[in-house]
Amino acid sequence: MNSKSRYAWAYLMIAPTLIGTLVFWSWPAVYSIYLGFLKSENFGLVSHWVGLANYERLFKDAEFWQNLRNTMFYVVLFVPATIVLSTLFAVLLNAKIRGRSIYRVIYFLPQVTMAAAAAMVWVIIFAQDYGLLNSVLGTHIAWISDKRFAMYALVMVGVWGSIGFNMLLILAGLQGIPRPLYEAAEIDGAAGFRKFRSITLPLLTPTLFFTSIVLVIGATQIFDSIYLIIGKTNVALPAVRSLVYAYYQNSFIYYDQNYGAAIVNILLLINLILTGIQFLLQKKWVVYD
Amino acid sequence: MNIRKKWGMAAAGALLASSLALAGCDQSNDGGKAADSEPAGSNQKSVTISYAIWDKNQQPAMEAIAKAFTGQHPNIEVKIDAIPWGEYWTKMSAAAPAGTLPDVFWMHGGQFIKYASGQFLAPITDKVQAGEIDLNNYASNLGSIYTMDGQNYGIPKDFDTIGLAYNKELFDQAGIAYPNDTWDYAKLAEVAGQLSQPDKGIYGFGAKMDTQAGYWNDMLANGGHILNADMTKSGYDEPASIEALKARYQMILDKASPTHQQMTDTDSVEMFKSGKLAMIFDGSWDNGNLASSDIIKGKYDWAPLPKGKAGRGNIINGLGNVMSAKGKHKEESWQFLKFLGSKEAAEITAQMGAAIPAFQGTQDAWVKSKPDLNLQVFIDQAADATPYPSGSKSYPVWFAKEGEIMSQAWGGAISIEEGAKKVAEMMNQAIADAK
């Protein structure tokens, strides 16, 4: 077989995935950039080129800056909390304890629970009058309709829903750490937390790095929990509205796809920058052997 | 990892991010596909057409109509798809440019102009001119709602007005006389206060943040407006409108009504259905929903809305049936559309108590569909009701934003007056933008 036909075969094999990715992922992203420069009418069937007008409007829109702040606030709370708790649970569940598969299943369950069903349960938990959270804490907080607390409620739901999967990733990372390292450390007299700090944590950094990249990108796109738990008539909505929620509102409720596209294009740019920064910073803390 | 790979991954990650955000639009409907497996009886192909509606409570009646239709046209099956109101127009706005609108679907006056001017609806003007259907058959000039630039696009389905629903048991317990046509808004507020027992979770009135079945009626009754007569200016910032909005909100402050938050958690209609609210405003379309509650069945009735200083305010709206311009089975769809506009379909609608049919002379059957209820109030109030303020290109935009601003006012984040003025400003902007 000559090399040309070998390449042809290789491309044929990856064609289903490649075409799917191009059509459903890459093309919409490119098209969305194009849409940001247009003003469309009639459900997008008629469009004029307006240059940067949508972005000018966006930068003058106080609501956009508030949404950006909300989104970033969520990222700052959600990502560290998820990484710390996922690592904690992964380390605990990596130990030889009775029934650890059962615990693993329990912690993974949120991952396979339908978001809408989980949201309904959370709404009941957060209820001001007879909610579980308030009766446990002995408080009377309107968790999801008081603008001071709504974001924390969303972070709780987000972390709860993300621990399972990230724990699994970190668990895989933990199991990739060679046993002899621990044995050597034990001979040198290291125990407990010292082993965790000097062996586990450094060797886990590649996994943690990957987790944080994916978590940041995911967190900037928070939408479902706002839509399902907060809801559009909630007085706290302006305090938690994310960029993607604003995108949804503009594109599908106000029928302004162009303004919506401008919002997600800015989000794309932010994600490029955030991911770029993380790649630059990895030299400082990620250990590759 | 070399640097190219890293940036490649970063870029891919970010692309993934934005395309995830874009993946939200789905297409639900390609019901236009023919089930062309076996010719039914004659050499006519058997065909399935899709019919989209938004009210689940009316689904049984719509199914009965579809069944009657298939009885007359054995080769045409109708597949009914009930999409909740909250998602209906989002789905339709994605389906319209994609050419996948349902063959026949419910149309709302507020949305009609957008769909008709985009040429997404099949005009039926030639059928009307050929006398296949007579738009004079429908009450209150409803046939004119679905007309644009001299072209006809829709056939009136029903009309609706608003009434005051009350829980007789709660009135009896408090020894207060039932609401009647002498009531004014002061009386409503007074009785609502007397009936409230907040410690038991029972309230006199659901002073909900709502438009058509809410404060629009109050604003009109108080001499205010939603829009001015030629629909070029918002009426929300008129003093009479603001006064009416404040009066409604005052009932929450007086604990005569549940709070906005309570009514966000549990809709006031649901509270009424569970016997926790003595009175609500509700539309005639919702009677089936109220009647479905075992808790208040036989214990509630209807009265006209209270009077304000400018008389009785009431919003009348009429739904229509329309067909897609891009449907694959236009002839069959037309047959169904025509049947939906027939007296027979109107009688099914009326007898099953689904909605007040638009067809002249069939309304009595609707009133009699629930003989123990005073449904006549809805028909009586239609006479001097105000048409739903739709029919402009800007309506879908300002209507969507209205709720967001008013929920800030109803939730206490801004004052009612500030909210009303913000809505007016937003509406005027939307009207200017749509020109």
Side-chain angles (χ1 to χ4, degrees):
Chain A
M1 218 188 269
N2 63 27
S3 72
K4 215 175 180 181
S5 76
R6 268 171 52 201
Y7 275 116
W9 271 108
Y11 280 118
L12 194 69
M13 292 299 181
I14 62 164
T17 318
L18 185 68
I19 293 170
T21 310
L22 289 175
V23 171
F24 294 110
W25 300 57
S26 315
W27 171 242
V30 172
Y31 192 70
S32 158
I33 293 172
Y34 172 63
L35 273 180
F37 295 115
L38 304 180
K39 177 84 198 151
S40 306
E41 282 171 46
N42 200 11
F43 302 111
L45 293 184
V46 184
S47 298
H48 333 275
W49 184 267
V50 293
L52 292 171
N54 289 318
Y55 293 94
E56 274 171 40
R57 201 180 126 204
L58 195 64
F59 292 137
K60 282 185 202 147
D61 186 350
E63 195 183 292
F64 164 73
W65 294 106
Q66 177 66 43
N67 299 340
L68 180 60
R69 274 198 299 278
N70 294 341
T71 310
M72 289 304 132
F73 187 51
Y74 179 79
V75 172
V76 165
L77 292 177
F78 165 81
V79 175
T82 305
I83 291 182
V84 169
L85 288 173
S86 306
T87 311
L88 182 70
F89 286 119
V91 170
L92 292 178
L93 291 182
N94 199 33
K96 288 196 170 58
I97 48 170
R98 276 167 63 123
R100 73 176 174 179
S101 334
I102 294 171
Y103 287 115
R104 286 180 186 174
V105 169
I106 290 174
Y107 285 109
F108 194 70
L109 267 182
Q111 195 65 36
V112 290
T113 308
M114 251 175 64
M120 283 184 74
V121 176
W122 276 106
V123 166
I124 297 167
I125 292 174
F126 286 135
Q128 185 171 15
D129 285 329
Y130 309 104
L132 187 65
L133 190 59
N134 276 331
S135 33
V136 169
L137 297 176
T139 49
H140 192 246
I141 294 169
W143 286 99
I144 51 177
S145 52
D146 185 327
K147 63 176 187 217
R148 292 170 299 169
F149 297 101
M151 187 60 100
Y152 299 102
L154 291 178
V155 172
M156 267 186 249
V157 178
V159 171
W160 170 82
S162 312
I163 284 181
F165 183 67
N166 290 287
M167 182 193 76
L168 214 62
L169 289 177
I170 295 168
L171 209 50
L174 285 175
Q175 286 168 357
I177 299 175
R179 293 273 349 141
L181 288 177
Y182 291 104
E183 285 156 16
E186 276 156 25
I187 291 166
D188 289 345
F193 186 69
R194 182 65 203 264
K195 276 196 286 182
F196 174 76
R197 207 177 59 96
S198 303
I199 300 173
T200 313
L201 207 52
L203 292 180
L204 204 54
T205 48
T207 310
L208 293 179
F209 176 62
F210 171 75
T211 324
S212 85
I213 299 264
V214 175
L215 278 174
V216 167
I217 293 173
T220 57
Q221 290 173 50
I222 176 182
F223 169 76
D224 346 8
S225 53
I226 303 176
Y227 181 80
L228 293 166
I229 295 175
I230 301 295
K232 61 182 175 190
T233 58
N234 192 316
V235 64
L237 179 62
V240 296
R241 180 170 29 215
S242 67
L243 292 175
V244 175
Y245 192 90
Y247 158 77
Y248 159 78
Q249 258 185 331
N250 280 288
S251 296
F252 294 105
I253 313 259
Y254 308 157
Y255 303 105
D256 194 345
Q257 296 143 319
N258 308 107
Y259 198 57
I263 295 171
V264 282
N265 291 340
I266 295 290
L267 182 60
L268 174 71
L269 194 67
I270 290 170
N271 267 320
L272 279 172
I273 294 169
L274 286 180
T275 312
I277 292 174
Q278 291 190 77
F279 269 99
L280 290 176
L281 287 180
Q282 67 162 330
K283 288 192 203 106
K284 303 246 189 269
W285 67 282
V286 180
V287 179
Y288 290 108
D289 46 10
Chain B
M1 248 192 220
N2 64 31
I3 196 80
R4 247 182 65 203
K5 255 189 194 160
K6 282 184 227 162
W7 280 105
M9 187 179 158
L15 271 179
L16 183 155
S18 67
S19 47
L20 270 183
L22 283 165
C25 33
D26 69 332
Q27 291 161 9
S28 66
N29 226 309
D30 64 352
K33 272 185 197 141
D36 47 3
S37 44
E38 54 203 79
S42 65
N43 56 359
Q44 277 178 308
K45 266 190 178 177
S46 92
V47 154
T48 302
I49 57 172
S50 53
Y51 182 37
I53 67 174
W54 61 70
D55 187 352
K56 206 143 187 69
N57 294 308
Q58 292 195 35
Q59 195 167 357
M62 296 305 114
E63 262 155 15
I65 293 171
K67 205 174 153 210
F69 173 72
T70 304
Q72 295 173 15
H73 302 81
N75 63 318
I76 311 175
E77 285 282 339
V78 180
K79 187 180 147 282
I80 294 175
D81 192 9
I83 305 163
W85 170 256
E87 291 150 41
Y88 190 85
W89 295 110
T90 309
K91 286 208 165 166
M92 293 302 158
S93 69
T100 55
L101 282 170
D103 293 303
V104 182
F105 59 104
W106 282 13
M107 180 48 75
H108 185 270
Q111 302 282 343
F112 166 68
I113 299 283
K114 255 184 102 72
Y115 286 80
S117 61
Q119 296 174 343
F120 297 114
L121 305 180
I124 54 166
T125 322
D126 52 336
K127 317 273 188 192
V128 174
Q129 280 163 359
E132 279 196 59
I133 197 133
D134 184 0
L135 290 178
N136 295 321
N137 280 336
Y138 306 99
S140 307
N141 206 17
L142 291 167
S144 65
I145 299 179
Y146 299 103
T147 303
M148 192 188 75
D149 300 334
Q151 293 271 15
N152 302 103
Y153 293 91
I155 300 181
K157 174 189 172 295
D158 58 32
F159 71 85
D160 49 70
T161 54
I162 313 299
L164 176 70
Y166 60 94
N167 182 321
K168 292 193 277 190
E169 204 172 49
L170 290 174
F171 272 83
D172 291 343
Q173 281 167 9
I176 296 170
Y178 299 152
N180 57 41
D181 60 0
T182 66
W183 274 36
D184 59 11
Y185 274 88
K187 179 83 178 166
L188 175 75
E190 182 197 327
V191 173
Q194 290 165 354
L195 289 168
S196 284
Q197 308 166 63
D199 48 320
K200 285 191 190 163
I202 291 173
Y203 292 91
F205 182 68
K208 189 185 175 185
M209 187 215 94
D210 192 10
T211 50
Q212 185 185 4
Y215 43 65
W216 279 358
N217 305 291
D218 310 353
M219 287 155 69
L220 293 167
N222 202 41
H225 297 92
I226 302 145
L227 280 169
N228 67 353
D230 57 359
M231 295 196 165
T232 53
K233 197 178 166 298
S234 170
Y236 268 71
D237 53 353
E238 288 171 21
S241 302
I242 294 175
E243 191 181 52
L245 290 166
K246 278 184 173 165
R248 174 172 279 251
Y249 186 66
Q250 189 60 38
M251 290 204 243
I252 294 179
L253 299 179
D254 294 344
K255 298 203 163 44
S257 159
T259 64
H260 175 60
Q261 189 209 324
Q262 286 171 311
M263 289 184 282
T264 305
D265 290 349
T266 313
D267 190 82
S268 57
V269 172
E270 294 306 314
M271 290 189 198
F272 184 79
K273 280 166 74 182
S274 56
K276 300 281 185 197
L277 264 179
M279 293 179 283
I280 53 168
F281 283 8
D282 203 1
S284 52
W285 67 84
D286 216 27
N287 185 53
N289 181 25
L290 299 189
S292 73
S293 161
D294 289 332
I295 299 172
I296 57 158
K297 201 168 193 169
K299 293 177 189 160
Y300 79 98
D301 205 349
W302 294 95
L305 295 186
K307 284 183 285 195
K309 63 185 180 203
R312 229 186 279 281
N314 207 313
I315 303 276
I316 181 168
N317 188 34
L319 304 187
N321 286 300
V322 295
M323 56 192 256
S324 166
K326 294 254 170 68
K328 292 197 184 83
H329 304 290
K330 284 237 187 84
E331 185 47 41
E332 288 84 356
S333 300
W334 164 246
Q335 290 304 326
F336 183 55
L337 186 63
K338 190 169 138 184
F339 185 76
L340 286 169
S342 67
K343 194 171 184 194
E344 192 180 344
E347 277 164 350
I348 296 173
T349 303
Q351 280 151 12
M352 294 188 68
I356 310 172
F359 204 98
Q360 299 269 25
T362 57
Q363 288 86 13
D364 270 355
W366 180 76
V367 172
K368 285 181 192 132
S369 71
K370 298 265 164 37
D372 51 328
L373 292 173
N374 186 13
L375 294 181
Q376 187 64 34
V377 298
F378 293 106
I379 314 291
D380 293 345
Q381 289 183 106
D384 41 31
T386 306
Y388 190 96
S390 55
S392 68
K393 242 182 159 169
S394 61
Y395 163 84
V397 175
W398 66 250
F399 185 71
K401 295 187 176 175
E402 192 267 356
E404 198 190 320
I405 299 173
M406 287 312 279
S407 57
Q408 292 299 305
W410 238 250
I414 56 175
S415 75
I416 296 291
E417 187 162 357
E418 208 181 328
K421 284 182 173 162
K422 272 193 171 176
V423 170
E425 201 180 306
M426 176 278 296
M427 284 171 79
N428 292 335
Q429 185 63 46
I431 293 164
D433 286 347
K435 267 180 193 151

